Amino acid sequence: MNVSATGSDRPKDRSVVPDSALRFIGFLAFFDRYGTPPMLLILAAVTQLSLTQAVQLVAGYSLLYAVGQPLWGLLSDRFGRLSVLRLALLGAVLGSLASTLFVAYTPLLITRCFTGLMFGALYPTLLTLLGDTRTGIHRARGLSDLQIYSSLGTTLATLSAGTLAAVIDWRLVFALPALGALAALYSLRKVRDVTPERRRFSLRLAFTNSTLVLYLVVFIEGALLMGLLTYIVPALQDEQIDITLAGFLGCGFALGVILGARLMRRLVAHFSRSMLIFIGSLVLAVGFALSAFWYSVTALTLTAVLMGATNAIMHSSMQGWATDVAPTARATTVSFFVFSLFFGASVGTWVTAGLAESGQYAQIFHYGFYAALVLSLLATFAHELWHRRNLKDAV
């Protein structure tokens, strides 16, 4: 599919997914991804789960979200983006509804893992669609739109999930994404899938030296940015903050994304992508330093804001890198990129679950601070080296 999108809906072209559908699916994917962390303490109180097991629901979700990426990427390159999108949305409906049926650890873990597998196809498929249909400033704007709407999904989940679980029922937080996935399927009913261009494809194209370095960098980024974000709301609650207020303060992440996206519009005109990655990673390090060395409700809130800014500055730059690094195997490369991101998130959450169980949140952010410093150097130099080699090959 080779369509030049302009950023507005194109309802007359049935091979183009409407922008409204892209934005809503991006919103939905992140609502479900971040709906569980705000209600971890409630899950531990009203189900048969301990807090460690509740945290492992998030880690297991992230793990299957990540593990499914290679499969989704290969299927997307082979059968088409929309076929994958529709299949994943149907699976998301089933997984979300099944998640409301259990209170024991094992069946709930299985259903959340399956749901993570299904929702894991959504965002990378959207990225691939943007890479297929847009270039230059139009792609940048599309990525920015996805950042904004995904942050809105994160915001609403962080703000409402804990309150819904406490006031109504935790099952509602799992049921709402099922309704959203049904609505998304309905919005795609008239869009015609386009048969992928038949060309020689080699998995090797997604595993060059450049892509392997990218996967390593984003694995570390995922462990820090996505993995440790899980603890913001529980840490606030551990400081005796009301669950609704904790969710509200945790929405500092979304505020950071919005402010970071606005700042990004100015930064992108003055700095290279390598420098933007460096700036974003330093912002992450500062955010972790606040909660590591000056642990308090204020510090945790500021950490959430700065993590959101990192998402807008660093991670959007990483996404741009992922769509450029192997254009002839874009869907597969983007899928392995997202696999690495969420595999890192799963590992980051899993290995720190014991510290969270004992309330050592400051220690978690302490480790995150030093790891973020390493990430800033590794990511910046890796991208700059790739960029220079790419320019040399182009000449």
Side-chain angles (χ1 to χ4, degrees):
M1 182 165 60
N2 185 21
V3 181
S4 178
T6 62
S8 59
D9 287 350
R10 300 272 301 279
K12 294 183 179 180
D13 188 345
R14 293 190 176 183
S15 67
V16 177
V17 178
D19 285 350
S20 56
L22 290 175
R23 293 164 184 160
F24 176 70
I25 294 170
F27 168 90
L28 180 66
F30 275 69
F31 179 90
D32 191 73
R33 171 67 179 83
Y34 290 102
T36 305
M39 60 177 188
L40 288 176
L41 298 183
I42 292 177
L43 284 174
V46 302
T47 67
Q48 300 173 17
L49 277 61
S50 67
L51 179 58
T52 297
Q53 290 174 327
V55 170
Q56 288 171 354
L57 291 185
V58 178
Y61 180 105
S62 294
L63 179 61
L64 268 292
Y65 191 115
V67 168
Q69 295 309 311
L71 171 65
W72 295 126
L74 291 170
L75 291 176
S76 181
D77 276 333
R78 176 65 179 83
F79 298 106
R81 321 313 190 198
L82 283 174
S83 296
V84 166
L85 206 55
R86 289 185 173 113
L87 175 63
L89 285 168
L90 178 59
V93 173
L94 299 177
S96 297
L97 291 178
S99 297
T100 67
L101 302 179
F102 305 102
V103 295
Y105 173 66
T106 299
L108 195 51
L109 179 64
I110 291 172
T111 56
R112 291 315 294 162
C113 285
F114 175 79
T115 306
L117 177 66
M118 294 297 107
F119 272 100
L122 302 185
Y123 201 78
T125 303
L126 300 182
L127 291 178
T128 304
L129 281 167
L130 286 175
D132 287 346
T133 60
R134 304 186 188 188
T135 59
I137 189 64
H138 297 303
R139 183 187 296 175
R141 287 174 178 171
L143 290 172
S144 180
D145 282 346
L146 281 183
Q147 285 278 346
I148 291 171
Y149 279 84
S150 65
S151 71
L152 289 175
T154 303
T155 299
L156 188 58
T158 304
L159 187 60
S160 65
T163 301
L164 289 174
V167 176
I168 303 177
D169 195 297
W170 60 269
R171 294 175 180 84
L172 183 60
V173 179
F174 294 150
L176 288 175
L179 296 177
L182 279 175
L185 277 171
Y186 183 78
S187 72
L188 298 176
R189 69 193 186 284
K190 293 183 179 180
V191 182
R192 184 182 71 249
D193 206 351
V194 175
T195 303
E197 181 182 347
R198 299 296 179 186
R199 60 189 176 193
R200 171 176 268 171
F201 172 75
S202 172
L203 187 61
R204 181 180 57 83
L205 296 174
F207 286 94
T208 63
N209 289 337
S210 296
T211 57
L212 289 174
V213 171
L214 171 64
Y215 302 151
L216 172 61
V217 171
V218 79
F219 171 86
I220 300 173
E221 184 199 21
L224 299 178
L225 183 58
M226 302 295 186
L228 301 196
L229 180 62
T230 300
Y231 296 119
I232 292 292
V233 173
L236 287 166
Q237 290 178 258
D238 193 60
E239 290 294 291
Q240 308 305 312
I241 297 297
D242 176 75
I243 188 169
T244 301
L245 180 57
F248 178 78
L249 295 177
C251 289
F253 176 82
L255 176 63
V257 171
I258 294 170
L259 295 177
R262 284 183 168 274
L263 180 61
M264 186 67 167
R265 290 177 179 270
R266 298 186 179 184
L267 293 177
V268 74
H270 301 287
F271 296 101
S272 67
R273 186 189 286 163
S274 297
M275 185 55 64
L276 291 172
I277 290 173
F278 181 67
I279 293 170
S281 57
L282 284 186
V283 170
L284 182 63
V286 171
F288 287 152
L290 292 173
S291 290
F293 301 109
W294 298 279
Y295 188 80
S296 65
V297 171
T298 300
L300 288 166
T301 304
L302 290 174
T303 297
V305 173
L306 293 178
M307 291 177 80
T310 298
N311 193 72
I313 299 171
M314 179 184 182
H315 189 60
S316 64
S317 300
M318 295 289 292
Q319 288 174 337
W321 185 7
T323 60
D324 288 340
V325 69
T328 56
R330 181 175 285 123
T332 304
T333 301
V334 169
S335 293
F336 275 100
F337 170 86
V338 179
F339 161 78
S340 300
L341 177 75
F342 280 93
F343 183 56
S346 177
V347 170
T349 302
W350 200 283
V351 300
T352 53
L355 292 172
E357 178 78 38
S358 58
Q360 299 182 58
Y361 296 106
Q363 188 64 44
I364 292 174
F365 292 115
H366 192 92
Y367 291 141
F369 167 69
Y370 291 110
L373 293 179
V374 174
L375 175 65
S376 67
L377 297 177
L378 177 62
T380 303
F381 285 113
H383 181 271
E384 185 62 21
L385 181 61
W386 169 81
H387 179 64
R388 291 183 181 183
R389 285 179 177 175
N390 199 44
L391 285 178
K392 184 178 180 180
D393 292 341
V395 173

